[in-house]
Amino acid sequence: TSPMRNEGKTHVACNLAMSLAHDFDHTVLLIDADIRSPSCHRMLGIPRPEGLSDCLLHGKKFWDVLVHTGIGRLSFLSSGNPVSNTSELFASNLMRDLLLEIKQRYADRIILIDTTPFLPFAETRSLSRLVDGVILVVRENTTVKSHLETTLRLLKNSNFLGAIYNDAHSFGAEKDIYNLRY
């Protein structure tokens, strides 16, 4: 995730998924959980088929809507069809149970989830407590320090793994991130 929009979280998630999937030791599942503004499918060059929302609301089995991308060993679960109650859906037991099922079924797979930005939308806060870890994408000259500090504070009950400093133009600017505490 990222604190706000336009910080490169989807770009980083897709590139990380593709890079790991090209490594013969890694099978990767990328989940587009940004139902509000999905874009992973475009970055992967595939249509947006049924996906996550259809599994949660219409009982679709996630393995039936997985897309094998042809990019290394990368599978993709799209966001699915638009829904109006995204926050409630992601805070539900349905979401928790689906993530547990995916995690148990694919215990040997790296699972990456692209989400909405953290601050404007509650669903990412719900997801942050369900996943094994959170990686925060921050973009030089875009991420506002107060937004980053607030995001880190709100992540205190999650397993914060670290930050990816995106779009760096100057050496050493990332040092400010290391000085922040949550």
Side-chain angles (χ1 to χ4, degrees):
T1 191
S2 61
M4 299 296 283
R5 291 187 186 278
N6 300 318
E7 293 173 310
K9 63 177 184 49
T10 299
H11 189 81
V12 168
C14 289
N15 280 331
L16 181 58
M18 289 185 284
S19 294
L20 290 170
H22 279 294
D23 183 342
F24 292 122
D25 292 336
H26 295 101
T27 301
V28 179
L29 170 60
L30 175 63
I31 300 173
D32 190 346
D34 189 348
I35 294 175
R36 293 173 186 271
S37 182
S39 58
C40 288
H41 64 285
R42 284 192 300 274
M43 290 193 73
L44 296 172
I46 57 178
R48 188 175 88 193
E50 292 180 312
L52 181 60
S53 64
D54 304 290
C55 294
L56 295 169
L57 292 175
H58 306 299
K60 296 276 184 183
K61 299 298 182 191
F62 73 89
W63 56 84
D64 288 335
V65 294
L66 280 182
V67 175
H68 301 284
T69 64
I71 302 170
R73 295 170 62 175
L74 176 62
S75 296
F76 175 61
L77 179 61
S78 85
S79 61
N81 290 299
V83 297
S84 60
N85 61 342
T86 309
S87 296
E88 296 92 19
L89 193 60
F90 279 34
S92 72
N93 289 336
L94 289 170
M95 185 64 174
R96 186 198 70 222
D97 293 346
L98 178 63
L99 288 178
L100 281 173
E101 184 178 4
I102 290 171
K103 189 174 167 181
Q104 289 169 351
R105 187 180 260 289
Y106 296 115
D108 61 335
R109 196 172 289 208
I110 296 171
I111 302 167
L112 297 171
I113 303 174
D114 181 46
T115 68
T116 57
F118 195 84
L119 292 178
F121 304 110
E123 57 259 36
T124 305
R125 283 176 239 147
S126 297
L127 278 176
S128 73
R129 292 183 289 277
L130 298 175
V131 297
D132 291 340
V134 176
I135 298 172
L136 194 61
V137 176
V138 295
R139 175 174 257 153
E140 183 173 286
N141 296 322
T142 302
T143 303
V144 176
K145 187 175 180 178
S146 63
H147 292 163
L148 179 57
E149 290 170 335
T150 301
T151 301
L152 290 171
R153 191 173 59 256
L154 292 170
L155 281 169
K156 71 178 183 177
N157 292 323
S158 303
N159 185 17
F160 175 63
L161 300 176
I164 294 177
Y165 194 71
N166 190 24
D167 205 21
H169 293 94
S170 58
F171 180 74
E174 72 284 353
K175 70 183 178 340
D176 291 336
I177 293 173
Y178 299 116
N179 295 323
L180 296 173
R181 301 285 183 255
Y182 71 98

